[in-house]
Amino acid sequence: MGAWRGMWPSAGCLQAYKRTSSPRLLLSQCIPGLLSDPTILDKYYMSEDVKKALLRNVEMRLTPQPVKVRSDFEVTCFAYEGIDAIKASLLEGVKCGTEMNPISVRLIAPPLYVMTCNTLDQVRSAAGEVEGEADGILLQDVGIKLLEGALEKIKEEILKRNVLDRNF
């Protein structure tokens, strides 16, 4: 127990723990240089095996976890184009995906479709590097925003093609 005394910063981490919803985010904020500079642990009384196990455990806990974002929606088109209009609008929605966050659409049962996007559960700053929660946005939110944009694109495309020709 004496080896762990003084290991955790008391006031800063406790305040951050009260504000943070994820213990993993808290750990990444409290121990920023542990993985890059493991000599920080030299001042504590622990064997090399314990240090290696601690570093492995911290590294494993800080790896981002994949999250699947899903949206169920219905698409119908009673115009002449019909299924071709639906297919074209769904392809426009799939094009809204990125290389890191691809969007896929599957048919459940007509007219019900499912759109999914895989993303990582980590925090990314505006500059692009992974950082703390305070100045970044959750990438899970990026997946939700991608699906919302794709649904809007599908809606625009199907409304554009769903104009019924009234000249019989």
Side-chain angles (χ1 to χ4, degrees), residues 71-82:
S71 174
D72 297 357
F73 61 99
E74 294 183 3
V75 180
T76 56
C77 180
F78 297 109
Y80 180 74
E81 288 187 57

Side-chain angles (χ1 to χ4, degrees), residues 56-93:
R56 255 195 328 265
N57 196 357
V58 167
E59 186 177 12
M60 182 185 68
R61 301 274 181 199
L62 290 179
T63 55
Q65 302 296 316
V67 175
K68 183 179 277 194
V69 183
R70 173 185 166 137
S71 174
D72 297 357
F73 61 99
E74 294 183 3
V75 180
T76 56
C77 180
F78 297 109
Y80 180 74
E81 288 187 57
I83 192 67
D84 293 331
I86 292 173
K87 186 176 179 181
S89 65
L90 293 178
L91 288 175
E92 287 296 317

